[in-house]
Amino acid sequence: MTPGVPMASLSRALRVAATRPHRSPARGLGPRALTSGAGTSTEKSVPYQRTLKEAQGPSAAARGPSRPLPRTADVVVIGGGSLGCQTLYHLAKLGVGGAVLLERERLTSGTTWHTAGLLWQLRPSDVEVELLAHTRRVVSRDLQEETGLHTGWIQNGGLFIASNRQRLDEYKRLMSLGKAYGVESHVLSPAETKALYPLMNVEDLYGTLYVPHDGTMDPAGTCTTLSRAAAARGAQVIENCPVTGIRVRTDDFGVRRVAAVETEHGSIQTPCVVNCAGVWADAVGRMAGVKVPLVAMHHAYVVTERIEGIQNMPNVRDHDASVYLRLQGDALSVGGYEANPIFWEEVSDKFAFGLFDLDWDVFTQHIEGAVNRVPVLEKTGIKSTVCGPESFTPDHKPLMGEAPELRGFFLGCGFNSAGMMLGGGCGQELAHWIVHGRPEKDMYGYDIRRFHHSLTDQRRWIRERSHESYAKNYSVVFPHDEPLAGRNMRTDPLHQELLAQGCVFQERHGWERPGWFNPGGTAPVLHYDYYGAYGNQAHEGYTYNRLLADEYTFDFPPHHDVIKQECLACRGAAAVFDMSYFGKFYLVGVDASKAADWLFSADVRRPPGATVYTCMLNAQGGTESDLTVSRLAPGPEASPLAPAFEGDGFYLAVGGAVAQHNWSHITTVLQDQRFRCQLIDSSEDLGMISIQGPASRAILQEVLDADLSNEAFPFSTHKLVRAAGHLVRAMRLSFVGELGWELHIPRPSCVPVYQAVMTAGAKHGLVNAGYRAIDSLSIEKGYRHWHADLRPDDSPLEAGLAFTCKLRSSTPFLGREALEKQRAVGLRRRLVCFTVDEKVPMFGLEAIWRDGQAVGHIRRADFGFTIDKTLAYGYVRDPSGGPVSLDFVRSGSYSLERMGVTYPAQAHVKSPFDPDNKRVKGIY
């Protein structure tokens, strides 16, 4: 083991680092010489009794593969870390006997071998709670039952530290969510915390969250056991076999597909590759022409000498100090996330079982937090330092799923130091994705298709966003936070116009979209300052950042009344919403109608001029999208508002934040079904404004050259019309439950059309409004938001959208068989609307109680200003496991638990606002 930094104790490290001149960590990654007058040598060494590293021996290339390569394989997994081993194991459990894992060195040799191995069961995401629960089952029970081997799992509990009220509120939210999933947790007072952890300083605490069944995993023990269990089912693990290329073929339909994996020792023909290469995943992606948006950074912790009285203590996460304390036998591992992490600029393909020298200038802040929390550490020696590479992504979430560029190429990488604790759940979902075409759970938050293709190789965006996500990893997750990094990547034609009027923008899919309008003046988003790290000057007087910070609360935000005025103006007069970030696609060609029949759950075979709200489903009946589809009349002349096409044509408008997901889903279905038609993306070519409210007809009648009466322009229809002399496509639709029209406008015409609308609306009280208002208005009306109360694991029947499904016809469509089966056996859950009379904000994740039993959790919540109540939507189950009928919903007594406090709630089977849909018909 290589001698590292001579340092006797954590306090000595803190003092010496403080007396040295500051050096920017971005300037070089070489060895650091840091000495003190006294002290023992600190070694670079992981704190595990056993690793898979060989003490001596020739290089992997000289040794050759650990076993002969098969000629073919059903699936080839690249990378033998946590994710690779978990994916192989779960593929084998699903019956894929011909799966092969290729590891360039030994199992765990990349980043897994040095990981801290912590597992925390509660996170602010219902899906992640489920993923973590599966990992825990695998490592604590399943593997031992299957193999008789102990994985190294230790259940010593977990303790989250709250140094302020907002942090404790966040933990109370986690506790309430945990109740819906049966995860035991307790909010402790400072005195109770001291009794549990006597060595802890609790003088500055508001409280803690204690989860007794959290614990730690051993990398070598877990991965070895996983590989043995997979091999027992016919899978193969081949070590010392670096991958050198991915062979790609183009099929007779013009689709690129995986054909083989090439190595220095031969090739394996396969239709499916899984990229679990961690830090090296980008290099593997480039072999196949696949973009993998991640960066490599140094991530470090130190291991202390023995601490008397620390045995059996829970692991600690002090988020406000950005530090964790992991129990390591009779010592602690101390690490965290800093604002100035070191990027690994040149990732070496020879790096195996390697560690970097620790940069004490960077690490010092963690020592301060650790010593404050456990004062005995001030006089405790440092036994070893662990600083290794980890991969980080633009949103601190993993990269999973099939790459949009290449069929058969799956990602399982970018785990942001959480590959051990998320590995079991994600390995299971990835295996299901490969075998069945989609995961069992809603994995959109991890799906590579959550990023627009224009961003996934944009190096500035990837670097900035990955840095910010790393630096904010321990920050409180507030409902209305927005990134400061990687902004202004995609702006619509009205951006400057709205900015000048006080628009506070949100970022979605790279787009800047209107959030709300600040009466106090402009709030531009500035270039990213890296929070003052790396020699950057931090912005001063940054209005946008201040407005975000004002909303760092779990109470009603300070701009609550501003958004209220936008909402009430829409209900009482009219509001204009810039929705230009929407995805706008044309589906055209000789098979377009066949494709539409199969893709869309609703009947879209209507005459030209009709617009239909519909869903797109997967084979399991889950909802991949909700969107509007407008039938077009064929025409020989191409224009931004209608391409030239033969056969049939449809215009698709989809939520801009999920446009890439929609594009990829449709493309995959067209390829699989071999439909002869084109999908054309016009998202950047067209803007879109929506004018909604009782005065919308009077306003637009002055701008459009068309009769807007109910008879001439019915709801759910569209026409090409002129607006202030500019050709636009007008659609009579609403996403807020009012009389209104959308105008789809060629990009050069957006500003003059918008200005004409605002001029005409001035005397009618027309206002600008943003997506915060849309969120409130739409939940009040009961309209769904995809990926909130409508997800890929929710069926339209469960979500109350049976009207979007053409089940009364005989037309086959994707997901129909699953819906018919679900309808026959009865719904096992149902989306229910709740209102709460008490003026209390809710944001989702609250537990739903029915007659004293937890029956689900809230997916989406907001305040409805017209009805003056909080509304919340969540899926309700019958604890007995039976079907959930409308009578079951109506007969219960409900309450919603928010941060440990329950509030009586009223269940509704129809929207409490305008349940008869009169307003969208213009009946006021």
Side-chain angles (χ1 to χ4, degrees), residues 102-125:
L102 299 179
E103 164 55 45
R104 65 187 176 93
E105 252 278 348
R106 299 290 306 277
L107 294 182
T108 75
S109 65
T111 61
T112 298
W113 82 293
H114 60 72
T115 184
L118 293 156
L119 191 148
W120 317 94
Q121 293 179 91
L122 291 179
R123 286 164 80 103
S125 159

Side-chain angles (χ1 to χ4, degrees), residues 502-558:
C503 184
V504 180
F505 286 94
Q506 301 173 332
E507 187 274 342
R508 299 293 184 273
H509 223 43
W511 284 107
E512 299 293 319
R513 77 173 191 183
W516 54 283
F517 286 80
N518 175 32
T522 62
V525 179
L526 305 180
H527 71 272
Y528 186 50
D529 61 6
Y530 283 90
Y531 294 87
Y534 314 124
N536 290 283
Q537 182 68 41
H539 295 306
E540 296 181 5
Y542 189 0
T543 303
Y544 183 82
N545 195 14
R546 177 181 59 77
L547 292 173
L548 285 184
D550 288 346
E551 299 206 321
Y552 288 171
T553 177
F554 292 109
D555 295 326
F556 288 117

Side-chain angles (χ1 to χ4, degrees), residues 252-448:
D252 58 0
F253 205 63
V255 179
R256 297 177 72 244
R257 298 183 181 274
V258 169
V261 173
E262 296 172 340
T263 78
E264 296 174 358
H265 309 286
S267 62
I268 303 174
Q269 294 182 24
T270 182
C272 182
V273 165
V274 192
N275 182 358
C276 297
V279 164
W280 296 268
D282 183 35
V284 173
R286 287 196 301 270
M287 295 177 187
V290 171
K291 297 179 287 188
V292 182
L294 53 74
V295 297
M297 296 183 190
H298 292 204
H299 191 55
Y301 60 91
V302 299
V303 185
T304 72
E305 299 284 2
R306 184 178 185 277
I307 302 171
E308 185 64 38
I310 204 69
Q311 295 87 343
N312 302 317
M313 290 296 101
N315 303 312
V316 174
R317 233 177 165 176
D318 190 339
H319 292 91
D320 295 312
S322 196
V323 68
Y324 66 79
L325 307 170
R326 178 209 197 269
L327 184 68
Q328 203 76 54
D330 58 2
L332 289 176
S333 293
V334 179
Y337 290 83
E338 57 280 344
N340 56 339
I342 299 172
F343 289 90
W344 192 19
E345 304 288 6
E346 300 294 333
V347 177
S348 168
D349 61 0
K350 306 299 181 187
F351 193 95
F353 291 113
L355 295 174
F356 306 117
D357 290 331
L358 184 66
D359 189 317
W360 289 98
D361 286 350
V362 175
F363 196 78
T364 295
Q365 57 195 284
H366 305 314
I367 299 173
E368 293 173 318
V371 169
N372 174 64
R373 190 54 55 220
V374 181
V376 70
L377 290 174
E378 186 173 9
K379 298 179 181 179
T380 302
I382 301 173
K383 183 178 181 181
S384 64
T385 66
V386 182
C387 183
E390 291 281 3
S391 58
F392 295 93
T393 64
D395 58 1
H396 218 73
K397 302 292 183 186
L399 307 175
M400 293 178 63
E402 190 174 31
E405 304 98 325
L406 180 62
R407 301 299 303 273
F409 190 98
F410 286 81
L411 299 174
C413 53
F415 273 79
N416 306 280
S417 294
M420 285 294 292
M421 67 174 162
L422 289 172
C426 289
Q428 181 186 48
E429 294 304 308
L430 194 49
H432 208 272
W433 218 324
I434 292 162
V435 173
H436 298 293
R438 61 155 278 105
E440 286 188 294
K441 304 186 192 309
D442 165 37
M443 297 299 290
Y444 176 74
Y446 291 7
D447 192 334
I448 184 62

Side-chain angles (χ1 to χ4, degrees), residues 756-777:
V757 169
M758 294 304 290
T759 299
K763 62 179 176 289
H764 296 280
L766 178 67
V767 302
N768 286 301
Y771 268 84
R772 291 280 287 279
I774 288 178
D775 290 342
S776 171
L777 294 164

